[in-house]
Amino acid sequence: TTTTTSTTPPLHRSTAHRPRRPQPEWVMAIAQNVKSVVIQIPATAATPFLDWSIAALNDNNTAEVHSVSWGTPEYEYDDEVGVDRLNTELVKFGVRGVSTLFASGDDGTGCYGAKYMPNYPASSPYTTAVGGVYIPLFSEDLAIEADEISGGGFAVAPGNNRTQAPWQEDVVSAYQRSVASGSSKLYTASGRGLPDVAGESCSIKSVRGVEGNHGAAFWSQHSESASCNVTLNHLHPLPPAFDSAYNIIQNGENQKVDGTSAACPVWAGIVALLNDQRMAAGLPTMGFMNPFLYSLTDEDAAFTDITTGANNVESCGPGFYATAGWDAATGLGTPLFGGLQTAAMASAAN
C-alpha cells in the first residue's frame, strides 16, 4: 500500500507561510485507507526544509508521497540557505520513486524589489507545485477561475532555472509569448514556471470590505483566513453547494480552512491513489510527477483547463492571467482523476 506524509511548519518562523493544518485530514479523505504519517517540524529548527528532507530520505520506509503546505519567498531562502542544497535533496526523492508536492502559496505573484517573487520550495524544478482556483461568488454556471491568491510565476534563483525543467519548456515559452503573461520586466523569463497544477483553494469568492445588512457578504467570524471564508446575509442566499472552504476538525472543533495549503493535500491524495493502482498491478510508484504531467495531452482528459482569472492579490502588477493551456496562475489545470488514472497505467505499459 501507498504511504503519504503531511509536513506541517514550525510556528515561530515569521517568513514561512503558516496555514491551519488541513493536510492530514484531506489527504486521508481523498486517499481513504492509505496509511498516512504527519510530521511536525520543531519550532527550534534552523533549516526546517533540510531537516525534513534529510530525515525522510534516511528513512528506509519513507512515504511514497509527501505533501508540504508551507514555504517562504524564494529570495529569502536563497539568501539564507541557498536553493541548490535543498534541490539536491528533492532530486533524491525522485530517484527513490517518491512524489513531493508543495503548495505554491497564498500570495499571488508575490512582490520583492518591484518584481514578482514566487515561493520556495514550490519554485524548485524538482517538485510539483500546486496552485489554487475558486468558484466566483454568485456564479450561475459554477465556472472555475484562477484564485487571486494562487502562488505562481517564474523562479528567480539561478538554481531554479527552466533549463532544469525541460518538460515544461514548450508550454511555458508559449505562455510567455502571450498577452496573458504581461510585461516580462516584472518576472525572470528564464525561471522555472509554477504552479504545475491547481486545486480548489476556496469554494466561493469573498467580497472584501462589504459588511452589514445591505452588503453582499462579510468575513466569517470563525475563520482565520481572509481569502475565502465568508458568510452570506439574507439578501443573497446561496445553495448548499456554496459552502465555504474545507472542513476539518482541530482541537475537537469544526473548522474551515482554505488556500493552496488545502489544494496540495488533495493532489497528494490523488497521487496516492494512482500509486495504489500501479502497485496493485506490480508497477513502480509515480515518483517525480512533472515529466508525466507535462506529457499529457488534451486527448488524455486529465485536467480541467482554467482559462479565466488572475493571481494578483499580492502583486507588483496585474498578475498572471489564466488562459488556455499552461499558465502561471493555475498551471495545467485541476485534476480529472479518470484521465490521470488511465494515463498513469498506460505510461507504465509504454
Side-chain angles (χ1 to χ4, degrees), residues 154-309:
F154 304 95
V156 175
N160 293 335
N161 191 280
R162 198 162 62 254
T163 57
Q164 306 304 313
W167 41 83
Q168 67 165 197
E169 177 60 38
D170 290 346
V171 293
V172 172
S173 294
Y175 180 73
Q176 290 181 344
R177 292 192 297 269
S178 73
V179 296
S181 65
S183 173
S184 60
K185 295 180 180 179
L186 291 171
Y187 61 84
T188 303
S190 61
R192 170 266 210 276
L194 70 149
D196 299 299
V197 291
E200 186 78 359
S201 53
C202 74
S203 53
I204 56 175
K205 191 66 174 179
S206 297
V207 180
R208 288 179 170 79
V210 180
E211 187 171 356
N213 293 332
H214 302 291
F218 58 92
W219 294 126
S220 173
Q221 299 302 308
H222 62 263
S223 173
E224 293 177 357
S225 173
S227 63
C228 303
N229 288 339
V230 297
T231 300
L232 301 174
N233 69 17
H234 66 281
L235 297 178
H236 298 282
L238 289 180
F242 283 86
D243 191 14
S244 59
Y246 291 78
N247 293 292
I248 65 169
I249 296 176
Q250 182 169 306
N251 297 326
E253 297 182 357
N254 292 325
Q255 306 285 344
K256 293 181 182 293
V257 294
D258 50 41
T260 59
S261 298
C264 186
V266 169
W267 259 98
I270 288 172
V271 177
L273 292 177
L274 296 179
N275 281 343
D276 260 4
Q277 292 287 316
R278 289 170 60 91
M279 294 169 75
L283 301 171
T285 54
M286 294 299 296
F288 178 46
M289 290 285 294
N290 291 5
F292 164 75
L293 295 172
Y294 284 90
S295 74
L296 301 176
T297 66
D298 292 342
E299 286 71 27
D300 291 304
F303 306 105
T304 297
D305 190 10
I306 311 303
T307 59
T308 55

Side-chain angles (χ1 to χ4, degrees), residues 22-270:
Q23 303 98 301
E25 292 187 34
W26 279 92
V27 167
M28 291 185 286
I30 300 299
Q32 297 184 22
N33 299 318
V34 170
K35 181 181 178 182
S36 187
V37 178
V38 180
I39 297 175
Q40 173 70 59
I41 302 299
T44 55
T47 55
F49 292 114
L50 279 176
D51 292 355
W52 153 73
S53 61
I54 293 172
L57 289 165
N58 285 336
D59 183 356
N60 291 332
N61 297 311
T62 194
E64 289 88 355
V65 184
H66 285 252
S67 174
V68 188
S69 284
W70 52 295
T72 193
E74 187 186 60
Y75 80 93
E76 288 189 356
Y77 194 91
D78 201 32
D79 288 346
E80 294 176 6
V81 183
V83 301
D84 292 343
R85 180 68 180 87
L86 182 58
N87 280 349
T88 299
E89 301 305 314
L90 293 174
V91 169
K92 294 177 184 178
F93 280 108
V95 173
R96 289 274 298 272
V98 174
S99 303
T100 61
L101 298 93
F102 279 81
S104 66
D106 298 348
D107 304 320
T109 64
C111 184
Y112 178 72
K115 294 187 69 173
Y116 298 152
M117 178 59 61
N119 281 327
Y120 184 80
S123 63
S124 169
Y126 309 111
T127 192
T128 300
V130 182
V133 299
Y134 77 101
I135 299 173
L137 192 65
F138 310 128
S139 169
E140 295 182 357
D141 57 4
L142 302 184
I144 304 172
E145 296 188 6
D147 196 339
E148 65 177 16
I149 68 170
S150 178
F154 304 95
V156 175
N160 293 335
N161 191 280
R162 198 162 62 254
T163 57
Q164 306 304 313
W167 41 83
Q168 67 165 197
E169 177 60 38
D170 290 346
V171 293
V172 172
S173 294
Y175 180 73
Q176 290 181 344
R177 292 192 297 269
S178 73
V179 296
S181 65
S183 173
S184 60
K185 295 180 180 179
L186 291 171
Y187 61 84
T188 303
S190 61
R192 170 266 210 276
L194 70 149
D196 299 299
V197 291
E200 186 78 359
S201 53
C202 74
S203 53
I204 56 175
K205 191 66 174 179
S206 297
V207 180
R208 288 179 170 79
V210 180
E211 187 171 356
N213 293 332
H214 302 291
F218 58 92
W219 294 126
S220 173
Q221 299 302 308
H222 62 263
S223 173
E224 293 177 357
S225 173
S227 63
C228 303
N229 288 339
V230 297
T231 300
L232 301 174
N233 69 17
H234 66 281
L235 297 178
H236 298 282
L238 289 180
F242 283 86
D243 191 14
S244 59
Y246 291 78
N247 293 292
I248 65 169
I249 296 176
Q250 182 169 306
N251 297 326
E253 297 182 357
N254 292 325
Q255 306 285 344
K256 293 181 182 293
V257 294
D258 50 41
T260 59
S261 298
C264 186
V266 169
W267 259 98
I270 288 172

